[in-house]
């Protein structure tokens, strides 16, 4: 066993997929299961407004927090091996949709990126090295994010923190980690900051600069020196939606943080018999590559289901508040109503499976567009509706 | 054009009738399937516009002269601004991270190389280079490998020395078939090889066919005592010995019984000896028949060509020891932030020409991994991921080729218990005087060689392995 099972979930009840067998047989399920029939320890604060319940599962967070020390050990953490393949897909899609404004060296150049569920910072660091101007990593576990900070901002890494004083003058991109929060809370906080900023500048400016100007109207208080509440060009939610109680709300917040023409990347594991055999039985029990209890088969999502969650749900406007429009106060909602002229839709622009090449024991991943039966990654773009 | 291209290779034994004949067409299958690079096309074989049919044949391999090759590579490297080339540098010390530094949350320290620039007075200033990855490509006696110290090696001497020089061939008889064929004859203690060099001349000299000397490299592997004897000869004597030992065709297999005119008594058990004699003649007939059968198959391919005689020695005659070495541990090609390639990682007998091929394969694998790391924005030495993958890809191949060469070394009885060595040649009795088990090995070897030569898929597979083609996934 590569991993010493120090997690609390040592004895795991083998959740049998009988209850969702209909969805298992067809990998492109047409209905989203109405109920997730597992032991969800959702921390539901019974408030009347749904926006204040935290979309994180404390036992899941603990699982990953205890793994924090091994996050950067490539012999213990299989995510490191998947990183080159995921980055390859992201760059492939971004290049194909011609996101390069100038003769940039890489499609991520000078882009703002948000990494949801950043963990130890694997993807975050890669994006920063590939030229992103500002990368923000969010994770519900503060321990893991602390480990990410220790790794990324170590002098040997050569990466720059957003809190660095020299960051302003350097041309290199910066990284910021925000731990212990969910992306819903983050999007709410930043939306309210944006509203405050807009209010401060007065309404007349807003109406003239409505189209695409929202990302510039940000809070330039003394306490936030850089425009870190701006919207993002790229949002990645890789291997996260199978670990949260309410993936829809996570995806809604992710979409709300996207700029127009921004790209959302989601990767997870499909819910099929094959994925049960490979990702649960083979990976956790037989080979021990993944700690037992990491994944819950009932929380896996198929590409069609995720596409529904993202594309077919009404997202409203790109005003930044993903959940509710009228939450904070009356003044804000009036301003936002003026900007509801432009409608945006999410369209799936890329989908690929990730498969392990033979020989299977050394975990060499590659992209296979035809095989999304186990791991898969998709790209969704926020496109303007032609009005 | 400083390489010697060859489109066929002829290998034969000294005490048997069999021979192996590889041609460039054997690699065509691999080239067509994309498993092997078509070097000929890549380099635009400039002599292909000649009228002789021989010139257009597909290449099997090439013998490359070291110094021009290296300087050509340096010229290419100088063209790129992103590469810093430092020469006249002496490396003083290397500080690489330990195994315990890897896998922690803090990234491992970069490898620090302290060097001294050799100044006019042989004393320069020290400076340190920090790097994410140190590639040790400094040969069999690698300084990096010895300094970093975490690479235990298994070393075994073959007990042989190789004598090598360049000779000019005698072109008075005929030039056909000389310029592009490599010859290798297996003698009791090791092979003697004649390899073409400098034959891919420009098309500017149209009369290359009629004039100009043809050169070849000689690599003669044998016992250290005999090698020293050869080195002590004058150049005419060396040429005479070379011609005598190389320019002989295949022989008959030695019989399982001692010959009747040998000073050996009558056999002890008459019945056994009769049986053995019958088996002997059966095997001998089978072998000879197989050999002659392959001759008639494809006349352009399979008849035995006598190698050309040499005229004189050009340049010095050098000798060097032959040892086999390989890393001892499983992850042995790498250490945190350090990777061994080529001869620093493995050395072997030159008889199959695999040392450089393996090194090239190592470099290709490592370069692809470095490219993958950079394309993914990852630190190539920061985690064990890329170096572990390099190990997985290459160590098995290294051991495999080493094992294959060792198998050849033993199958051709170069471990040498057959009498008939060079120094004893005058006193030796006729070659067919060996009996017993060695005779059986001789027969089976000849049968095996004939089989490989005759069965085209097997011969092609062998040629592909030697050329370093990627294996077919679904045969």
């Amino acid at each position: 066993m590569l991993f010493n099972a120090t997690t609390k979930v040592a004895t795991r009840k083998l959740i049998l997929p009988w209850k969702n067998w209909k969805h298992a047989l067809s990998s492109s399920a047409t209905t989203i299961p109405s109920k997730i029939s597992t032991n969800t320890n959702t921390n539901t604060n019974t408030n009347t407004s749904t926006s204040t319940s935290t979309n994180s599962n404390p036992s899941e967070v603990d699982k990953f927090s205890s793994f924090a020390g091994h996050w950067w050990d490539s012999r213990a953490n299989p995510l490191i091996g998947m990183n080159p393949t995921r980055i390859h897909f992201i760059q492939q899609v971004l290049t194909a949709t011609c996101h390069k404004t100038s003769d940039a060296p890489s499609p991520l150049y000078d882009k703002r990126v948000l990494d949801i569920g950043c963990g130890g910072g694997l993807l975050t660091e890669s994006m920063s090295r590939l030229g992103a101007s500002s990368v923000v990593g969010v994770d519900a576990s503060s321990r893991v994010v602390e480990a990410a900070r220790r790794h990324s901002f170590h002098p040997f890494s050569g990466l720059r923190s957003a809190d660095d004083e020299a960051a302003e003058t350097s041309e290199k991109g910066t990284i910021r980690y925000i731990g212990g929060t969910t992306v819903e809370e983050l999007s709410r906080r930043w939306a309210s900051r944006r509203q405050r900023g807009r209010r401060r500048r007065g309404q007349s400016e807003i109406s003239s600069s409505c189209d695409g100007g929202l990302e510039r109207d940000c809070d330039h208080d003394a306490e936030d020196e850089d425009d870190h509440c701006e919207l993002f060009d790229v949002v990645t939610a890789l291997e996260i939606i199978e670990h949260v109680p309410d993936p829809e709300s996570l995806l809604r917040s992710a979409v709300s943080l996207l700029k127009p023409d921004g790209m959302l990347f989601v990767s997870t594991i499909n819910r099929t018999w094959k994925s049960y055999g490979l990702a649960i039985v083979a990976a956790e029990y037989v080979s021990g590559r993944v700690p037992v209890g990491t994944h819950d088969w009932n929380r896996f999502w198929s590409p069609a289901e995720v596409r529904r969650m993202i594309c077919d749900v009404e997202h409203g406007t790109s005003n930044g508040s993903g959940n509710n429009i009228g939450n904070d106060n009356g003044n804000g909602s009036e301003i936002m109503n003026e900007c509801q002229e432009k409608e945006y839709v999410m369209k799936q622009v890329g989908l690929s499976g990730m498969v392990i090449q033979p020989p299977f024991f050394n975990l060499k991943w590659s992209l296979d567009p035809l095989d999304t039966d186990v791991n898969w990654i998709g790209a969704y773009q926020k496109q303007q509706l032609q009005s | 054009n400083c390489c010697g291209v060859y489109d066929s290779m002829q290998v034969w034994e000294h005490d048997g009738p069999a021979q192996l004949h590889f041609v460039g067409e054997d690699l065509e299958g691999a080239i067509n399937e994309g498993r092997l690079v078509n070097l000929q096309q890549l380099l635009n074989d400039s002599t292909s516009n000649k009228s002789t049919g021989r010139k257009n044949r597909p290449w099997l391999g090439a013998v490359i002269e070291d110094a021009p090759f290296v300087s050509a590579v340096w010229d290419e490297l100088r063209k790129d601004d992103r590469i810093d080339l430092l020469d006249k540098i002496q490396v003083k010390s290397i500080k690489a991270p330990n195994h315990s530094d890897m896998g922690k949350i803090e990234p491992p320290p970069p490898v620090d190389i302290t060097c001294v620039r050799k100044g006019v007075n042989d004393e320069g200033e020290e400076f340190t280079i920090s790097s994410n990855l140190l590639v040790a490509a400094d040969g069999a006696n690698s300084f990096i490998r010895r300094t970093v110290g975490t690479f235990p090696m298994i070393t075994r001497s073959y007990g042989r020395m190789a004598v090598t020089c360049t000779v000019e061939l005698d072109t008075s008889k005929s030039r056909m078939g000389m310029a592009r064929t490599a010859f290798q004859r297996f003698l009791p203690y090791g092979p003697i090889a004649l390899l073409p060099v400098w034959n891919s001349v420009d098309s500017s000299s149209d009369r290359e066919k009629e004039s100009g000397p043809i050169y070849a490299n000689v690599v003669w592997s044998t016992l250290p005592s005999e090698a020293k004897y050869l080195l002590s000869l004058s150049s005419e004597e060396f040429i005479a010995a070379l011609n005598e030992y190389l320019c002989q065709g295949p022989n008959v297999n030695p019989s399982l019984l001692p010959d009747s005119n040998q000073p050996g008594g009558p056999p002890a058990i008459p019945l056994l000896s009769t049986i053995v004699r019958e088996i002997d003649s059966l095997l001998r007939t089978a072998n000879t028949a197989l050999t002659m059968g392959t001759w008639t198959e494809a006349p352009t391919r399979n008849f035995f060509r006598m190698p050309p005689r040499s005229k004189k020695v050009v340049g010095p005659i050098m000798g060097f020891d032959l040892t086999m070495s390989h890393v001892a541990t499983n992850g042995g090609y790498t250490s945190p932030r350090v990777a061994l390639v080529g001869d620093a990682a493995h050395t072997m007998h030159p008889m199959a020409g695999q040392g450089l091929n393996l090194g090239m394969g190592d470099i290709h694998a490592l370069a692809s991994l470095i490219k993958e790391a950079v394309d993914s924005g990852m630190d190539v030495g920061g985690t064990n991921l890329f170096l572990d993958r390099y190990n997985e890809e290459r160590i098995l191949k290294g051991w495999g080729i080493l094992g294959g060469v060792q198998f050849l070394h033993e199958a051709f009885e170069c471990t040498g218990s057959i009498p008939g060595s060079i120094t004893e040649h005058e006193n030796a009795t006729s070659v067919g005087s060996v009996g017993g088990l060695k005779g059986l090995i001789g027969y089976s070897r000849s049968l095996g060689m004939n089989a490989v030569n005759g069965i085209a898929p097997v011969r092609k597979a062998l040629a592909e392995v030697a050329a370093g083609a990627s294996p077919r996934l679904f045969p």
Side-chain angles (χ1 to χ4, degrees):
Chain A
M1 291 284 263
L2 291 167
F3 176 76
N4 50 344
T6 55
T7 61
K8 294 196 179 95
V9 200
T11 54
R12 179 183 181 275
K13 207 172 68 174
L14 193 64
I15 309 289
L16 296 172
W18 311 132
K19 293 183 186 167
N20 285 331
W21 62 272
K22 271 189 233 144
H23 306 295
L25 284 179
S26 62
S27 59
S28 60
T30 50
T31 57
I32 302 172
S34 54
K35 184 172 117 97
I36 299 173
S37 56
T38 58
N39 48 348
T40 58
N41 309 328
T42 319
N43 186 12
T44 48
N45 300 330
T46 50
N47 284 339
T48 47
S49 72
T50 54
S51 58
T52 54
S53 69
T54 41
N55 191 14
S56 71
N57 187 344
S59 69
E60 295 264 3
V61 173
D62 282 340
K63 256 190 283 185
F64 287 104
S65 297
S66 60
F67 192 60
H70 299 279
W71 208 279
W72 279 95
D73 185 359
S74 71
R75 292 175 184 164
N77 188 358
L79 287 171
I80 301 183
M82 292 167 70
N83 207 32
T85 317
R86 309 191 293 192
I87 295 271
H88 181 67
F89 178 79
I90 291 174
Q91 292 194 300
Q92 204 177 344
V93 169
L94 288 176
T95 318
T97 52
C98 295
H99 262 217
K100 288 196 268 200
T101 48
S102 57
D103 214 7
S106 108
L108 279 168
Y109 191 70
D110 214 22
K111 295 280 189 336
R112 280 177 56 82
V113 182
L114 172 68
D115 187 12
I116 301 177
C118 64
L122 293 176
L123 196 70
T124 324
E125 279 196 14
S126 293
M127 306 270 219
S128 181
R129 281 209 184 92
L130 289 171
S133 64
S134 150
V135 188
V136 177
V138 184
D139 198 283
S141 155
S142 38
R143 263 181 69 183
V144 175
V145 164
E146 192 48 49
R149 280 199 192 102
R150 273 166 63 195
H151 189 273
S152 304
F153 304 141
H154 196 277
F156 293 151
S157 285
L159 297 166
R160 204 146 266 229
S161 163
D163 302 319
D164 236 352
E165 282 97 35
E168 298 293 326
T169 53
S170 142
E171 284 177 1
K172 248 181 168 180
T174 63
I175 300 183
R176 171 187 294 273
Y177 288 111
I178 303 174
T181 53
T182 61
V183 69
E184 288 89 351
E185 292 172 22
L186 206 64
S187 80
R188 264 198 306 275
R189 274 213 311 258
W190 290 358
S192 60
R193 277 214 194 103
R194 270 195 293 271
Q195 289 173 39
R196 267 186 275 131
R198 255 179 262 123
R199 251 179 285 126
R200 227 174 272 137
R201 285 179 195 82
Q203 296 196 22
S204 52
E205 286 181 26
I206 300 305
S207 46
S208 59
S209 62
C210 207
D211 178 26
L214 290 159
E215 55 265 25
R216 287 197 294 277
D217 296 330
C218 222
D219 206 21
H220 286 279
D221 274 355
E223 52 221 27
D224 353 39
E225 286 171 10
D226 45 323
D227 319 299
H228 70 272
C229 50
E230 281 186 19
L231 299 179
F232 295 95
D233 295 284
V234 174
V235 175
T236 62
L238 304 187
E239 311 290 325
I240 183 68
I241 66 170
E242 71 260 25
H243 295 288
V244 293
D246 189 3
E248 288 190 47
S249 107
L250 185 142
L251 291 170
R252 265 201 302 268
S253 315
V255 169
S256 71
L257 286 165
L258 267 180
K259 279 188 197 172
D261 283 337
M263 195 78 70
L264 168 68
F265 291 94
V266 176
S267 98
T268 183
I269 308 182
N270 203 344
R271 196 173 65 245
T272 59
W273 287 113
K274 193 166 152 186
S275 74
Y276 187 78
L278 288 178
I280 308 272
V281 176
E284 292 184 12
Y285 292 94
V286 174
S287 68
R289 289 257 179 191
V290 172
V292 171
T294 306
H295 288 126
D296 179 1
W297 186 85
N298 289 297
R299 286 222 177 97
F300 288 169
W301 297 102
S302 72
E305 289 171 345
V306 171
R307 187 167 53 82
R308 278 180 172 272
M309 280 196 267
I310 297 176
C311 305
D312 296 350
V313 179
E314 188 62 41
H315 283 297
T317 67
S318 67
N319 54 15
S321 68
N323 295 336
N324 293 316
I325 293 183
N327 56 354
D328 281 340
N329 46 45
N331 281 340
S333 59
E334 281 164 16
I335 299 162
M336 276 173 264
N337 286 336
E338 290 182 21
C339 304
Q340 275 173 27
E341 295 141 19
K342 284 281 180 328
E343 286 283 329
Y344 292 94
V345 284
M346 297 296 294
K347 280 230 175 328
Q348 177 173 309
V349 295
L351 177 68
S352 176
M354 289 171 46
V355 294
I356 305 180
Q357 289 175 356
F360 299 99
F361 55 88
N362 57 355
L363 292 193
K364 207 162 153 39
W365 294 88
S366 72
L367 289 175
D368 184 353
L370 303 172
D371 185 0
T372 55
D373 284 344
V374 191
N375 293 75
W376 63 270
I377 180 167
Y380 309 90
Q381 191 177 24
K382 187 180 233 183
Q383 294 172 353
Q384 227 167 339
L385 251 191
Q386 306 302 324
S387 52
Chain B
N1 267 322
C2 298
C3 58
V5 167
Y6 57 94
D7 56 32
S8 75
M9 176 187 274
Q10 181 176 283
V11 180
W12 72 105
E13 42 183 0
H14 75 286
D15 60 344
Q19 56 149 345
L20 268 180
H21 195 131
F22 295 103
V23 281
E25 282 90 357
D26 289 344
L27 295 177
E28 267 181 353
I31 290 176
N32 289 339
E33 290 170 22
R35 291 180 290 126
L36 189 61
V37 170
N38 190 350
L39 206 57
Q40 197 167 2
Q41 213 172 44
L42 212 60
L43 295 180
N44 282 333
D45 184 9
S46 56
T47 57
S48 62
N49 52 2
K50 292 292 170 33
S51 51
T52 345
R54 181 130 184 119
K55 300 286 187 209
N56 287 338
R57 298 186 61 180
W59 295 354
L60 188 59
V63 178
I64 302 178
E65 193 181 347
D66 190 48
F69 177 60
V70 169
S71 85
V73 170
W74 274 71
D75 287 339
E76 277 299 312
L77 292 177
R78 277 193 195 103
K79 291 180 192 163
D80 198 329
D81 290 331
R82 297 168 300 176
I83 302 177
D84 291 323
L85 288 176
L86 307 167
D87 58 349
K88 300 191 181 44
I89 301 271
Q90 188 186 16
V91 176
K92 285 277 188 218
S93 66
I94 300 174
K95 189 167 174 321
N98 302 323
H99 279 287
S100 58
D101 292 330
M102 302 294 291
K104 303 252 175 321
I105 296 179
E106 283 79 16
V111 57
D112 289 324
I113 306 136
T114 315
C115 326
V116 169
R117 191 180 300 268
K118 286 214 177 105
V120 177
N121 311 325
D122 225 12
E123 284 259 343
E125 24 165 296
E126 270 193 13
F127 60 98
T128 307
I129 308 173
S130 288
S131 165
N132 280 346
L133 179 68
L134 173 63
V135 177
D138 46 350
N141 196 23
S142 163
F143 173 79
I144 299 175
R145 186 187 72 216
R146 285 182 287 124
T147 314
V148 172
T150 50
F151 298 102
M153 302 285 284
I154 293 178
T155 318
R156 221 180 77 179
S157 166
Y158 285 105
R160 303 283 181 275
M161 266 179 77
V163 173
T164 175
C165 66
T166 310
V167 296
E168 187 185 328
L169 298 179
D170 183 3
T171 58
S172 55
K173 301 269 176 51
S174 147
R175 291 175 74 95
M176 270 297 289
M178 258 187 238
R180 290 194 168 194
T181 304
F183 297 94
Q184 180 158 284
R185 181 177 189 228
F186 277 95
L187 295 177
Y189 290 105
I192 174 170
L194 193 75
L195 308 166
V197 292
W198 305 331
N199 60 6
S200 54
V201 292
D202 305 325
S203 56
S204 56
S205 70
D206 274 329
R207 283 179 315 180
E208 175 252 347
K209 187 175 178 290
E210 285 85 33
S211 64
I214 301 185
Y215 297 102
N217 250 8
V218 171
V219 182
W220 192 339
S221 318
T222 182
L223 290 176
S225 52
E226 297 180 5
K228 290 195 179 91
Y229 168 71
L230 285 170
L231 287 168
S232 68
L233 294 174
S234 71
S235 49
E236 292 80 20
E237 289 172 337
F238 181 79
I239 290 286
L242 175 68
N243 284 334
E244 186 181 353
Y245 282 95
L246 178 65
C247 301
Q248 291 185 38
N251 231 324
V252 287
N253 285 109
S255 80
L256 289 173
L257 288 174
D259 273 358
S260 52
N261 55 359
Q262 281 303 303
I269 310 172
L271 181 61
L272 191 62
S273 82
T274 315
I275 294 174
V276 171
R277 189 171 299 136
E278 292 309 311
I279 296 175
D280 183 73
S281 69
L282 188 71
L283 285 173
R284 189 186 294 250
T285 319
N287 245 337
T288 323
L290 266 178
T291 311
M292 295 171 74
T294 60
W295 289 354
T296 57
E297 225 180 75
T300 56
R301 205 183 67 79
N302 270 316
F303 63 89
F304 177 78
R305 270 192 207 87
M306 188 64 76
R309 301 184 79 84
S310 319
K311 198 154 63 174
K312 68 177 205 248
V313 174
V314 172
I317 306 178
M318 291 173 290
F320 53 95
D321 285 312
L322 299 178
T323 51
M324 163 181 82
S325 76
H326 199 274
V327 291
T329 53
N330 210 11
Y333 281 1
T334 64
S335 178
R337 294 208 190 266
V338 180
L340 302 180
V341 294
D343 271 0
H346 43 68
T347 65
M348 66 199 72
H349 200 290
M351 73 161 77
Q354 288 305 302
L356 184 63
N357 273 14
L358 255 191
M360 295 290 208
D362 289 349
I363 292 169
H364 179 75
L366 190 60
S368 330
L369 284 166
I370 295 174
K371 178 178 190 302
E372 195 186 341
V374 170
D375 284 346
S376 324
M378 296 171 76
D379 178 2
V380 68
T383 52
N384 281 323
L385 179 75
F386 298 100
L387 294 181
D388 281 349
R389 282 201 187 150
Y390 171 65
N391 267 321
E392 278 157 11
E393 283 181 42
R394 299 306 304 175
I395 279 198
L396 219 56
K397 281 209 177 102
W399 277 119
I401 303 266
L402 223 65
V405 169
Q406 186 66 22
F407 167 73
L408 287 178
H409 187 66
E410 298 195 7
F412 284 94
E413 285 184 273
C414 303
T415 48
S417 7
I418 306 177
S421 61
I422 299 165
T423 47
E424 295 175 18
H425 187 72
E426 285 80 35
N427 311 327
T429 49
S430 71
V431 184
S433 64
V434 182
L437 191 60
K438 295 187 198 67
L440 213 54
I441 293 179
Y443 275 123
S444 50
R445 182 182 64 239
S446 304
L447 276 172
M449 269 183 97
N450 272 329
V452 170
N453 196 32
I455 304 175
V458 177
R459 191 186 68 241
K460 286 181 183 168
L462 205 58
E464 284 169 16
V465 167
S470 356
R472 202 180 291 139
L473 284 178
F474 300 107

